[in-house]
């Protein structure tokens, strides 16, 4: 069996221009990710990890090269088409959780379903079930500041997954938590990948975190290298 890759990138380039100075953030990137893969992208600060994540997540577009997500050529899409694709296909998790303050865990997880046009009863049901799956059934009405770092990140993961995206993108998801909590988050991602076949691309500069992935890639000065 030879399934089509979930994402396919060829010869991708991305530069930033700041005060007349051009910074080549990504050079000649080639990357395939198959459905069900768990890939870690590593590299030092400034190597282009976040830039790559923004492009993978259709939050930004490359200057040149080709990017196909689920067989769709994103370089030909306008902003609205990209937003639609992003909402349908991708769940994001960030280092700082990015939860809405003064808003319960349940309401945070419901938010993407509002944008997806799903009615209130169905939203509640899906958000509750997803939080329960993340082991947060006892924390539905807690506010972000009443949660531990690990719990807050699990709420963020629930919010990323409630729309059933085909790809979870995580940028330094353990960057703001202690070692024990980091292990807890990685165990959850392992389970989601192994048990539910969730495709994960995770960005980290920590070797311990990258060990959980089944394939590791290394970015250096905007170039992607294989790593054992
Ligand atoms: N919005 C931006 N404007 C100008 N330069 C940027 C911008 N974002 C990132 N860069 C530069 O692009 C390079 C890659 O940055 P980034 O993708 O954030 O790396 P990483 O996530 O690995 O730390 C760095 O040299 C950074 O300074
Ligand atoms: Mg970064």
């Amino acid at each position: 069996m030879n399934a089509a890759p979930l994402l396919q990138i060829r010869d991708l380039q991305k530069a930033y221009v700041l005060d007349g100075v051009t910074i080549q953030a990504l050079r000649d990137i080639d990357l395939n990710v198959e459905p069900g893969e768990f890939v870690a992208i590593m590299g030092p600060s400034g190597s282009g990890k976040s830039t790559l994540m923004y492009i993978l997540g259709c939050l930004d577009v490359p200057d040149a090269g080709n990017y196909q997500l689920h067989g769709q050529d994103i370089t030909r899409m306008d902003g609205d088409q990209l937003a639609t694709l992003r909402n349908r296909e991708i769940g994001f998790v960030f280092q700082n959780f990015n939860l809405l303050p003064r808003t319960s865990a349940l309401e945070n997880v419901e938010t993407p379903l509002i944008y997806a046009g799903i009615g209130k009863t169905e939203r509640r049901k899906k958000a509750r079930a997803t939080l329960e799956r993340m082991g947060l059934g006892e924390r539905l009405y807690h506010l972000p500041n009443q949660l531990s770092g690990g719990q807050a990140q699990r709420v963020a993961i629930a919010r990323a997954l409630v729309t059933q995206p085909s790809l979870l993108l995580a940028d330094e998801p353990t960057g703001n938590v202690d070692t024990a909590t980091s292990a807890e988050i990685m165990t959850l991602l392992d389970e989601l990948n192994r048990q539910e076949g969730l495709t994960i691309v995770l960005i980290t500069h920590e070797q311990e975190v990258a060990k959980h992935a089944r394939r590791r890639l290394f970015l250096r000065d905007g170039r992607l290298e294989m790593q054992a």
Side-chain angles (χ1 to χ4, degrees):
M1 207 177 73
N2 204 353
L6 178 58
L7 68 88
Q8 185 167 14
I9 284 177
R10 288 292 171 273
D11 205 21
L12 182 147
Q13 321 286 336
K14 180 70 180 181
Y16 298 105
V17 179
L18 195 64
D19 299 329
V21 178
T22 301
I23 297 158
Q24 193 66 38
L26 296 173
R27 308 162 197 264
D28 311 331
I29 304 283
D30 288 327
L31 176 63
N32 275 14
V33 176
E34 309 294 330
E37 271 206 283
F38 186 170
V39 180
I41 297 174
M42 306 192 68
S45 180
S47 59
K49 302 185 298 297
S50 292
T51 302
L52 182 55
M53 150 115 174
Y54 285 136
I55 294 177
L56 292 181
C58 305
L59 290 164
D60 201 355
V61 290
D63 298 330
N66 188 267
Y67 174 18
Q68 292 198 6
L69 177 62
H70 248 166
Q72 298 162 93
D73 183 355
I74 74 119
T75 51
R76 292 170 188 277
M77 291 187 183
D78 65 25
D80 286 348
Q81 291 172 315
L82 279 178
T84 302
L85 183 68
R86 187 164 66 230
N87 291 341
R88 205 173 51 221
E89 302 278 356
I90 297 166
F92 292 96
V93 175
F94 298 95
Q95 176 171 353
N96 300 322
F97 321 135
N98 288 13
L99 297 176
L100 299 169
R102 295 180 294 281
T103 305
S104 70
L106 195 58
E107 288 168 315
N108 264 283
V109 176
E110 278 185 55
T111 309
L113 299 174
I114 299 174
Y115 296 114
I118 294 171
K120 188 157 180 65
T121 311
E122 188 64 16
R123 286 202 308 262
R124 275 278 125 118
K125 209 171 112 193
K126 281 181 194 266
R128 179 189 287 268
T130 309
L131 280 163
E132 284 168 354
R133 206 166 102 221
M134 303 301 148
L136 290 169
E138 310 291 304
R139 297 287 184 277
L140 300 177
Y141 301 101
H142 282 56
L143 300 177
N145 66 6
Q146 297 170 325
L147 298 169
S148 70
Q151 289 166 348
Q153 194 57 297
R154 280 187 282 148
V155 172
I157 293 169
R159 183 180 56 183
L161 296 182
V162 74
T163 52
Q164 297 180 284
S166 49
L167 173 65
L168 182 72
L169 283 177
D171 192 356
E172 305 272 4
T174 61
N176 253 351
V177 297
D178 61 35
T179 310
T181 305
S182 173
E184 171 195 322
I185 292 169
M186 293 315 300
T187 300
L188 175 60
L189 293 181
D190 274 340
E191 281 173 15
L192 291 167
N193 173 252
R194 282 170 203 277
Q195 294 170 11
E196 307 189 17
L198 179 68
T199 311
I200 302 175
V201 176
L202 173 145
I203 289 173
T204 184
H205 60 266
E206 293 174 77
Q207 202 61 250
E208 274 307 303
V209 170
K211 273 193 343 209
H212 290 262
R214 284 182 263 161
R215 182 153 69 102
R216 277 161 292 279
L217 305 170
F218 202 84
L219 265 177
R220 198 188 309 276
D221 299 330
R223 285 183 202 279
L224 203 51
E225 304 166 358
M226 299 294 164
Q227 210 195 25

